[in-house]
Amino acid sequence: MSPGRVVLVVGASGVLRPAAEILRDRGRAVVGVGRGVHPMPSGVAAVVVDARDAGALRDAVAPLRWVDAVVYSGAMSEGSLAVLQERTPGRTVHVRTLTDVGSGDRYALSRLQLGRTGDDARPWHSPQEISVAALAVLDDGVDRVLGIVDPRRPGS
């Protein structure tokens, strides 16, 4: 794998699975980080580690090289974000949940802030919707909000 083509995806066996598949289909080499609970998509190299443990993540990715990263905050800790930020020469897209509003602000990250859909019957966005929005941020570096974020009601 040429490092110039590699994207690291934290959450590639979960909510960012469609992102890993789309990147793979675009011809990018993809390294997926997950806890091993669900299998990685075919054609995605797997790193099995709990990415919330910064030390374990650092050790697991030590031999790897990548250019860009897409990371789901639900699978990360602040320390883990720091590990990836220092190792990622290109763009890091931080996909943040409503409980993460304001987190990760000290890092030079591109952000996708997740909000609610506005539809009480389906309040949360699908993995496909989240992944497409995250890859748009990866492509152009422009921060985005997916859905509705009410700063008066964190986590709602």
Side-chain angles (χ1 to χ4, degrees), residues 54 57-58 76-88 104 106-107 109:
L57 179 64
R58 181 180 299 107
M76 303 289 292
S77 67
E78 285 287 321
S80 298
L81 277 173
V83 167
L84 293 185
Q85 181 63 29
E86 70 188 29
R87 293 280 318 276
T88 305
R106 62 185 173 145
Y107 306 108
L109 305 170

Short mmCIF file of all heavy atoms in Angstrom, two decimals, residues 54 57-58 76-88 104 106-107 109:
data_model
loop_
_atom_site.label_atom_id
_atom_site.label_comp_id
_atom_site.label_asym_id
_atom_site.label_seq_id
_atom_site.Cartn_x
_atom_site.Cartn_y
_atom_site.Cartn_z
N ALA A 54 -5.82 5.24 24.41
CA ALA A 54 -4.81 5.94 23.60
C ALA A 54 -3.51 5.14 23.50
O ALA A 54 -2.91 5.07 22.42
CB ALA A 54 -4.54 7.33 24.17
N LEU A 57 -4.07 2.15 21.21
CA LEU A 57 -4.19 2.63 19.83
C LEU A 57 -2.82 3.00 19.28
O LEU A 57 -2.47 2.62 18.16
CB LEU A 57 -5.14 3.83 19.76
CG LEU A 57 -5.33 4.43 18.37
CD1 LEU A 57 -5.98 3.43 17.42
CD2 LEU A 57 -6.14 5.72 18.45
N ARG A 58 -2.04 3.73 20.06
CA ARG A 58 -0.69 4.12 19.62
C ARG A 58 0.13 2.88 19.24
O ARG A 58 0.77 2.84 18.20
CB ARG A 58 0.03 4.90 20.71
CG ARG A 58 1.43 5.37 20.31
CD ARG A 58 2.14 6.14 21.42
NE ARG A 58 1.42 7.35 21.77
CZ ARG A 58 0.73 7.52 22.91
NH1 ARG A 58 0.67 6.56 23.80
NH2 ARG A 58 0.12 8.65 23.16
N MET A 76 -13.67 6.94 20.25
CA MET A 76 -12.40 7.61 20.57
C MET A 76 -12.43 8.25 21.95
O MET A 76 -13.47 8.46 22.53
CB MET A 76 -12.13 8.72 19.54
CG MET A 76 -12.09 8.28 18.11
SD MET A 76 -10.63 7.32 17.72
CE MET A 76 -9.36 8.55 17.88
N SER A 77 -11.23 8.57 22.42
CA SER A 77 -11.06 9.42 23.60
C SER A 77 -10.27 10.65 23.17
O SER A 77 -9.71 10.69 22.07
CB SER A 77 -10.30 8.66 24.69
OG SER A 77 -8.96 8.42 24.27
N GLU A 78 -10.20 11.65 24.03
CA GLU A 78 -9.38 12.83 23.72
C GLU A 78 -7.93 12.43 23.48
O GLU A 78 -7.28 12.92 22.56
CB GLU A 78 -9.48 13.86 24.85
CG GLU A 78 -10.77 14.63 24.88
CD GLU A 78 -10.90 15.66 23.77
OE1 GLU A 78 -9.91 16.34 23.45
OE2 GLU A 78 -12.00 15.78 23.23
N GLY A 79 -7.40 11.52 24.29
CA GLY A 79 -6.03 11.06 24.12
C GLY A 79 -5.82 10.35 22.80
O GLY A 79 -4.79 10.50 22.15
N SER A 80 -6.81 9.58 22.39
CA SER A 80 -6.73 8.88 21.11
C SER A 80 -6.74 9.86 19.94
O SER A 80 -6.04 9.67 18.95
CB SER A 80 -7.89 7.90 20.97
OG SER A 80 -7.84 6.92 21.97
N LEU A 81 -7.56 10.91 20.06
CA LEU A 81 -7.56 11.94 19.02
C LEU A 81 -6.18 12.56 18.88
O LEU A 81 -5.70 12.80 17.77
CB LEU A 81 -8.58 13.05 19.35
CG LEU A 81 -10.02 12.78 18.99
CD1 LEU A 81 -10.90 13.90 19.53
CD2 LEU A 81 -10.18 12.66 17.50
N ALA A 82 -5.52 12.80 20.01
CA ALA A 82 -4.17 13.37 19.97
C ALA A 82 -3.20 12.43 19.28
O ALA A 82 -2.37 12.86 18.48
CB ALA A 82 -3.69 13.68 21.39
N VAL A 83 -3.30 11.12 19.56
CA VAL A 83 -2.43 10.13 18.91
C VAL A 83 -2.60 10.20 17.40
O VAL A 83 -1.63 10.26 16.64
CB VAL A 83 -2.74 8.71 19.43
CG1 VAL A 83 -2.09 7.65 18.55
CG2 VAL A 83 -2.29 8.56 20.87
N LEU A 84 -3.84 10.19 16.93
CA LEU A 84 -4.09 10.19 15.49
C LEU A 84 -3.71 11.52 14.85
O LEU A 84 -3.18 11.56 13.74
CB LEU A 84 -5.53 9.82 15.18
CG LEU A 84 -5.92 8.39 15.52
CD1 LEU A 84 -7.32 8.10 15.04
CD2 LEU A 84 -4.93 7.38 14.94
N GLN A 85 -3.98 12.60 15.55
CA GLN A 85 -3.65 13.91 14.99
C GLN A 85 -2.14 14.05 14.75
O GLN A 85 -1.72 14.53 13.72
CB GLN A 85 -4.14 15.04 15.91
CG GLN A 85 -3.86 16.42 15.37
CD GLN A 85 -4.57 16.72 14.07
OE1 GLN A 85 -5.64 16.20 13.79
NE2 GLN A 85 -3.99 17.57 13.26
N GLU A 86 -1.35 13.56 15.70
CA GLU A 86 0.11 13.68 15.53
C GLU A 86 0.64 12.74 14.44
O GLU A 86 1.71 12.98 13.90
CB GLU A 86 0.84 13.45 16.84
CG GLU A 86 0.82 12.04 17.34
CD GLU A 86 1.39 11.87 18.74
OE1 GLU A 86 1.31 12.81 19.55
OE2 GLU A 86 1.92 10.78 19.02
N ARG A 87 -0.09 11.69 14.11
CA ARG A 87 0.35 10.70 13.12
C ARG A 87 -0.25 10.91 11.73
O ARG A 87 0.17 10.25 10.78
CB ARG A 87 -0.03 9.29 13.58
CG ARG A 87 0.67 8.78 14.82
CD ARG A 87 2.05 8.25 14.54
NE ARG A 87 2.19 7.45 13.33
CZ ARG A 87 1.92 6.14 13.23
NH1 ARG A 87 1.51 5.47 14.29
NH2 ARG A 87 2.07 5.52 12.08
N THR A 88 -1.22 11.79 11.59
CA THR A 88 -1.92 11.96 10.32
C THR A 88 -1.40 13.20 9.60
O THR A 88 -1.68 14.32 10.02
CB THR A 88 -3.44 12.08 10.55
OG1 THR A 88 -3.89 10.94 11.28
CG2 THR A 88 -4.21 12.17 9.24
N GLY A 104 -12.59 18.15 21.20
CA GLY A 104 -11.61 18.06 20.13
C GLY A 104 -11.25 19.40 19.52
O GLY A 104 -10.55 19.46 18.53
N ARG A 106 -9.20 21.59 20.42
CA ARG A 106 -7.79 22.00 20.49
C ARG A 106 -6.95 21.34 19.40
O ARG A 106 -5.79 21.64 19.25
CB ARG A 106 -7.21 21.69 21.86
CG ARG A 106 -7.21 20.24 22.23
CD ARG A 106 -6.73 20.06 23.65
NE ARG A 106 -6.90 18.69 24.04
CZ ARG A 106 -6.08 18.06 24.83
NH1 ARG A 106 -5.04 18.68 25.32
NH2 ARG A 106 -6.29 16.81 25.14
N TYR A 107 -7.55 20.46 18.62
CA TYR A 107 -6.83 19.79 17.54
C TYR A 107 -7.21 20.40 16.21
O TYR A 107 -8.31 20.91 16.04
CB TYR A 107 -7.15 18.28 17.53
CG TYR A 107 -6.90 17.63 18.85
CD1 TYR A 107 -7.96 17.22 19.65
CD2 TYR A 107 -5.61 17.46 19.34
CE1 TYR A 107 -7.74 16.64 20.88
CE2 TYR A 107 -5.39 16.88 20.57
CZ TYR A 107 -6.45 16.47 21.34
OH TYR A 107 -6.22 15.92 22.56
N LEU A 109 -8.57 19.70 13.39
CA LEU A 109 -9.39 18.68 12.75
C LEU A 109 -10.46 19.34 11.89
O LEU A 109 -10.95 20.42 12.20
CB LEU A 109 -10.10 17.83 13.81
CG LEU A 109 -9.25 17.16 14.87
CD1 LEU A 109 -10.12 16.57 15.95
CD2 LEU A 109 -8.38 16.10 14.24
#
